[in-house]
């Protein structure tokens, strides 16, 4: 084993050197007994060419389970390297930072940042969702930790010990509809600008869609960011759960269901090996392999068979592309069943109609809120320099009716830290997004664009995409605008007055991007 491996940097060095790297995902269960996972790690450690990176999930599926901290030390003790998942669904920003300090102290260097699945049943009922930080903001926290976070320690300033995690992010390239897919790609760009150094797509079974992700990244100047293709071996039961929406964000065709139901384990492993061979030939940085009940022997069989297949995958596209009805593709089809890298983006040319709420709200913003507007010039100085505290200011109270308008037209929940002009007045994401996301959608929306948790409702971020087009705005702004986390000091206060007083997030948003071809040190804000 190399010195890089001993120092906890095998994944980083492998990606930097262009070595095709394979990781194994282990989903820890609810009980403290992890005998199967321990057996997998021991077998991997005993083989010179075994799996070196063990990816450890963070309460997958929103169910109670052992967190990665419970198992990473065992992985390290066996001279392997953990990739710890960290999601925002179960803990607030203080708890997440604490978990990261704990992981750093254990010697963990690799983190996969996720928003996380919706919580499911727990002790005596459904767990409370947290989502204080989404995946983008977790990445921003990880990047901030590289220089240490400044904080108050009594009367003096202190700084946390700097620690440089290798941060990864997730994207879903398998969406069926244009709004879902494009908002996924825009959020991917934002994640990279926020500090993601490698990407692992969500699991799926359409090589053309997966390869379009890589083509998109190259075209948008992000081809230098490594992508580890997610290769999953489903059982028939798991595939059915994916199709029904019990496992969020998966796109499973009827044809794939039929094949999986009629096949045995060797056929499932063969399909996985075929995918590994394909993504290696197509220039992916590696493969992230997973599947319920797979042994280390199964993983090695997949990799050995993939090596034997080599470039022979080209004639077996029917085993790699399982299309969903009316599947959206960003690029036109080329030879061999993949998309043309140089083709024009197949985006809709239609402009949706502006709603009355959008029109009225936009006009109010232009004349009352926008910097330099009449209302802003009149009210902002009085709100910023009143004798009393802002919330007891006469002018602050005068603007209270604005809260009633937001509640009636946008579904405002009174967070006091509004982003409505940023999302083009499509509706309150604090109400209509189950995860209260402020930096783009999660990957869990269903194939028809409805919410992962509330299928009777459309994903609000799909509506935001259409609302942005309707107002003539460019939805690419969501690829570069980082909205800070909600300021809970403003909860249940007047959002309009907070905006004019300079208290809310509007002046704290950051335009972030990565210069094409540069490492993450090239992030500009």
């Amino acid at each position: 084993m190399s010195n890089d491996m001993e120092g906890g940097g095998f994944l980083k060095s492998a990606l930097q050197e262009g070595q095709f790297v394979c990781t194994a995902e282990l989903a820890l269960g609810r009980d403290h007994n992890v005998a199967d996972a321990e057996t997998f790690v021991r077998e991997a450690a005993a083989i010179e060419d075994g799996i070196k990176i063990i990816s450890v999930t963070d309460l997958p599926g929103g169910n109670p389970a052992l967190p990665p901290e419970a198992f990473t030390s065992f992985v390290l003790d066996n001279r392997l390297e953990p990739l710890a998942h960290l999601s925002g669904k179960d803990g607030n920003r203080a708890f997440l930072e604490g978990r990261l300090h704990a992981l750093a102290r254990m010697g963990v260097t690799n983190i996969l940042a996720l928003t996380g699945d919706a919580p499911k049943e727990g002790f005596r009922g459904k767990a409370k969702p947290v989502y204080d930080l989404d995946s983008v903001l977790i990445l921003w926290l990880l990047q901030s930790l590289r220089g240490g976070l400044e904080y108050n320690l009594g009367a003096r300033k202190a700084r946390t010990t700097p620690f440089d995690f290798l941060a990864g992010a997730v994207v879903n390239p398998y969406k069926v509809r244009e709004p879902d897919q494009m908002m996924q790609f825009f959020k991917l760009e934002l994640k990279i600008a926020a500090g993601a150094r490698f990407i692992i797509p969500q699991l799926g079974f359409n090589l053309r869609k997966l390869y379009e992700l890589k083509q998109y990244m190259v075209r948008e100047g992000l081809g230098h960011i490594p992508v580890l293709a997610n290769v999953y071996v489903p059982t028939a039961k798991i595939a059915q759960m994916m199709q029904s929406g019990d496992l969020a964000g998966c796109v499973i065709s009827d044809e794939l269901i039929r094949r999986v139901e009629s096949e045995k384990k060797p056929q499932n492993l063969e399909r996985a090996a075929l995918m590994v061979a394909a993504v290696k030939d197509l220039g992916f940085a590696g493969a992230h392999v997973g599947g319920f009940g797979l042994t280390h022997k199964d993983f090695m069989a997949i990799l050995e068979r993939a090596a034997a297949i080599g470039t022979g995958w080209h004639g077996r596209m029917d085993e790699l592309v399982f299309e969903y009805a009316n599947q959206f593709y960003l690029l036109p089809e080329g030879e061999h069943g993949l998309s043309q890298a140089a083709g024009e983006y197949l985006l809709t040319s239609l402009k949706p109609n502006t709603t009355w709420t959008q029109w009225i709200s936009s006009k109010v913003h232009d004349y009352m809120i926008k910097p330099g507007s009449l209302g802003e010039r009149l009210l902002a100085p009085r709100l910023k320099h009143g004798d009393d505290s802002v919330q007891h200011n006469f002018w602050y109270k005068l603007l209270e009716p604005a809260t009633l308008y937001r509640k009636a037209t946008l579904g405002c929940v009174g967070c006091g830290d509004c982003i409505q002009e940023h999302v083009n007045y499509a509706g309150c994401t604090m109400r209509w997004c189950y995860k209260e996301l402020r930096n783009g959608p999660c990957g869990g929306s269903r194939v028809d664009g409805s919410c992962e948790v509330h299928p009777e409702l459309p994903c609000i971020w799909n509506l935001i995409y259409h609302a942005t087009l309707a107002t003539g705005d460019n939805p690419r702004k969501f690829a570069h605008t980082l909205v800070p986390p909600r300021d809970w000091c403003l909860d249940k206060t007047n959002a309009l007055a907070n905006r004019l007083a300079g208290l809310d997030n509007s002046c704290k948003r950051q335009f972030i991007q990565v210069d094409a071809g540069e490492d993450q040190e090239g992030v500009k804000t």
Side-chain angles (χ1 to χ4, degrees), residues 58 84-101 103 110-117 130-146 149 163 165-170 187 190-197 437 439 482-485 512:
D58 185 18
H85 297 202
L86 186 71
S87 69
K89 64 183 183 296
D90 299 308
N92 66 14
R93 66 195 77 180
F95 185 59
L96 289 172
E97 183 188 333
R99 290 183 66 189
L100 287 169
H101 291 309
L103 288 164
N110 309 310
I111 299 290
L112 186 66
L114 308 101
T115 296
D117 296 326
V130 181
Y131 298 109
D132 191 27
L133 299 185
D134 62 23
S135 54
V136 174
L137 295 172
I138 292 174
L139 289 163
W140 195 247
L141 170 60
L142 289 166
Q143 181 159 283
S144 300
L145 286 171
R146 291 170 190 155
L149 292 174
F163 195 86
F165 287 104
L166 180 68
V170 176
K187 189 168 183 178
L190 189 64
K191 289 177 179 180
I192 293 172
R197 297 179 178 180
L437 301 181
N439 284 292
L482 186 145
V483 179
I512 58 176

Side-chain angles (χ1 to χ4, degrees), residues 20-27 36-37 39-41 43-45 47 49-57 80 83 85 228-234 265-266 268-277 286-309:
F20 189 82
V21 60
C22 290
T23 63
E25 180 170 294
L26 300 184
D36 290 343
T39 298
F40 188 103
V41 169
E43 290 177 353
I47 303 175
D49 59 350
I51 298 292
K52 299 291 185 285
I53 307 295
I54 305 297
S55 182
V56 189
T57 56
L80 301 180
L83 168 57
H85 297 202
L228 282 70
N230 198 331
V231 179
Y232 192 82
V233 184
K265 188 175 183 178
N268 290 334
L269 297 180
E270 173 72 11
R271 184 181 298 107
L274 193 63
M275 179 64 83
V276 173
H288 184 76
V289 184
F292 181 76
L294 294 186
T295 65
H296 185 262
K297 182 179 179 181
D298 294 328
F299 274 73
M300 295 307 297
I302 290 171
L303 301 186
E304 290 167 6
R305 178 60 183 146
I309 293 171

Side-chain angles (χ1 to χ4, degrees), residues 183 190 358 361-362 365 369 406 410 417-427 429 437-440 461 463-465 467-469 471 473-484 499 504-506 509-511:
M183 292 301 282
L190 189 64
Q358 280 184 280
S361 300
S362 297
H365 180 267
I369 307 172
R406 290 171 186 265
L410 301 168
D417 201 13
C418 191
I419 63 169
Q420 273 307 303
E421 95 292 346
H422 177 56
V423 298
N424 298 93
Y425 299 100
T429 62
L437 301 181
R438 300 162 77 84
N439 284 292
W461 286 97
L463 301 184
I464 290 168
Y465 181 80
T468 304
L469 294 175
T471 56
D473 205 352
N474 188 346
R476 279 199 61 80
K477 68 180 182 180
F478 299 113
H480 300 296
T481 306
L482 186 145
V483 179
R499 170 64 55 86
D504 72 351
N505 69 85
S506 59
R509 297 174 197 167
Q510 297 191 43
F511 178 89

Side-chain angles (χ1 to χ4, degrees), residues 334-347:
E335 294 183 304
H336 311 301
L338 297 177
S339 296
Q340 295 181 32
E344 293 293 325
Y345 287 163
L346 301 178
L347 299 176

Side-chain angles (χ1 to χ4, degrees), residues 406 410-415 420 423 426-433 460:
R406 290 171 186 265
L410 301 168
C412 173
V413 297
C415 77
Q420 273 307 303
V423 298
C428 177
T429 62
M430 297 294 99
R431 176 182 291 277
W432 303 118
C433 176
I460 184 62

